[in-house]
Structures are given as structure tokens and as C-alpha cells.
Amino acid sequence: MVLTGCSQCIKYMLFFFNFIFWLAGGVILGIALWLRHDAQTSNLLMLQFEGTQAPGTFYISVYVLIAVGAVMMFVGFLGCYGAIQESQCLLGTFFTCLVILFACEVAAGIWGFINRDTISTELISFYDAAYMKAVDPVESVTRQAAVKVVEVFHRTLECCGKGDDNALFLAVQAAVCPKIETDPLISQSCHTKLRDLFTEKLHVIGLAALVIAVIMVFEMIFTMVLCCAVRNAAPAY
């Protein structure tokens, strides 16, 4: 079958949007891999203390983003091929994949909004547990392990303590905050730095999800219009 006029224009517009969708999938995949291997988050989330791994809730959203990026690239290719071939079957499959992907993104967005503070709160609790052991005046193996964990937080985030500066912490400050004398920024609360770090990362994920959603809406509209055009152009038997 041959599409003409406005339908032909819609066909190439759909191909163009699908190509953008495929490129966006590659960009999303790249961003997700960067977030997964980012030095700051990796240093913190790989920590262990008293047999407990640092909370990895943040990685759930990253793995979802990786899966979305990979699926977007596949679906984008399917849409490009279906648009060029003017295939109702391929376009229908593409539309179904888009709807499923859009529903998953909405569900992930709701989950992310509900749990937006969970990531930083869990890691702050993990830090506080190590902090309490690190300031313990009684020397022990657990205290030594806690000091190492706290040092990683301080070095990675360029912070020092919780901001309360109690007497116990001041006694060990020089040991766990080695750069306190040379860098004035080091005295900033680690609680604040943790919240800022993951707020920034989640904003990147949220912006990526918003871009995907906008592209998907255009994709679904053009796909429905092109499917109707292909059906109407099909010869009657």
C-alpha cells in the first residue's frame, strides 16, 4: 500500500520521533550507567559495617532506568522499521510496547515520589550508626571499623560530623576529618551533604523520566494516526 499526502507526512514524522526515541534510549542508558558507577555514590553504597551493607535503595531506581533505556532502544528500532514498512502489525506491537512502558514509568514515578526521602534517610541512619561507634572512647575492633566507614563518608562528601560537634566527636575529629584544618567546607554536616547528593541524583532521574514521558505521548499520538491511515489505505477484498 502507498500512503499519500498528509499520511505520508505523518509516516516520516513518526519515523523521526522514533529515531529521537531510540537516541533518547541510548542517552538514558548512558545516564543510568553513569549513575551506577558514579564515584561518590559507589564509594558510599559499597560500604559495610558490622556485617550490614549500606542501603542500596538508590540502585533500584538506577536499575529501572537501565532497563528503560535498553527497552527504549529496542522499541524505537521497532517503531522506525514499522513506520517505514507501513506495517500494521509492527505499529500495533510498537504501540502496545509504548503503552506498557508508559504505564511502568508512571508506576516507577509514583514509587519514586513516595520514596524520594527514603534513600538519604537510610544512608544517614547507616552513617549515624557508624558515627556513634566511631566516637566511642573505648577502643575496640568495632570502633576501628566504624572510624574507617566514617572516614570514607567524610572524604567522599567533604564533610565532617553531623553538625552537632559534641565533646566525644571533637575528641576524635582530627582522626576522622583529616582535612579539617585546610578546607573550611569540610565542617559542613554530612547529613546535609547526603541529602544534597541524592536530591541532585534524583533530579537527574526525574528529568530523564519527564523527557521520556513527553516523547512517548507524541509517539502514541502519531502511531494511532498512522495505524488509522494504513488501515484506510489497505485495499478492500
Side-chain angles (χ1 to χ4, degrees):
M1 72 196 74
V2 179
L3 299 177
T4 58
C6 185
S7 297
Q8 189 76 2
C9 179
I10 292 172
K11 167 184 170 179
Y12 287 109
M13 287 182 69
L14 180 60
F15 176 85
F16 172 75
F17 273 104
N18 279 320
F19 182 69
I20 297 297
F21 190 70
W22 180 82
L23 287 179
V27 172
I28 296 300
L29 186 60
I31 291 174
L33 291 174
W34 168 71
L35 289 171
R36 175 60 183 84
H37 298 288
D38 177 62
Q40 278 190 311
T41 53
S42 295
N43 287 343
L44 299 180
L45 298 179
M46 290 175 64
L47 288 172
Q48 287 189 347
F49 179 62
E50 292 187 322
T52 303
Q53 183 78 30
T57 307
F58 174 72
Y59 281 150
I60 295 176
S61 57
V62 173
Y63 291 141
V64 169
L65 208 59
I66 289 174
V68 167
V71 173
M72 281 179 65
M73 293 189 72
F74 170 75
V75 172
F77 173 78
L78 187 67
C80 285
Y81 187 73
I84 291 298
Q85 295 295 318
E86 301 173 10
S87 169
Q88 278 187 275
C89 179
L90 285 175
L91 290 173
T93 304
F94 169 69
F95 182 78
T96 303
C97 290
L98 271 184
V99 171
I100 294 172
L101 199 59
F102 187 77
C104 290
E105 184 181 358
V106 170
I110 294 172
W111 177 87
F113 180 78
I114 294 173
N115 296 277
R116 64 189 183 280
D117 296 325
T118 302
I119 296 170
S120 56
T121 301
E122 288 180 346
L123 209 53
I124 286 172
S125 298
F126 181 80
Y127 169 80
D128 286 349
Y131 173 92
M132 294 302 295
K133 293 290 184 179
V135 300
D136 190 342
V138 179
E139 188 66 35
S140 64
V141 175
T142 302
R143 180 182 178 280
Q144 292 175 1
V147 167
K148 291 180 180 179
V149 170
V150 170
E151 282 179 344
V152 172
F153 273 93
H154 293 169
R155 184 172 61 253
T156 302
L157 298 173
E158 296 188 342
C159 61
C160 187
K162 301 190 295 181
D164 52 4
D165 294 335
N166 60 64
L168 288 174
F169 179 71
L170 291 175
V172 299
Q173 188 179 54
V176 297
C177 301
K179 294 190 289 184
I180 188 66
E181 296 180 357
T182 59
D183 192 346
L185 295 178
I186 207 72
S187 61
Q188 186 172 346
S189 167
C190 290
H191 286 191
T192 302
K193 281 297 189 80
L194 280 169
R195 290 192 184 96
D196 290 346
L197 172 66
F198 288 101
T199 297
E200 178 187 343
K201 304 296 184 187
L202 290 175
H203 282 167
V204 172
I205 294 175
L207 180 60
L210 180 62
V211 171
I212 294 170
V214 171
I215 295 175
M216 280 185 182
V217 170
F218 281 102
E219 291 273 3
M220 286 189 282
I221 293 172
F222 281 113
T223 302
M224 285 190 295
V225 173
L226 186 59
C227 279
C228 292
V230 170
R231 187 181 299 112
N232 293 333
Y237 295 97

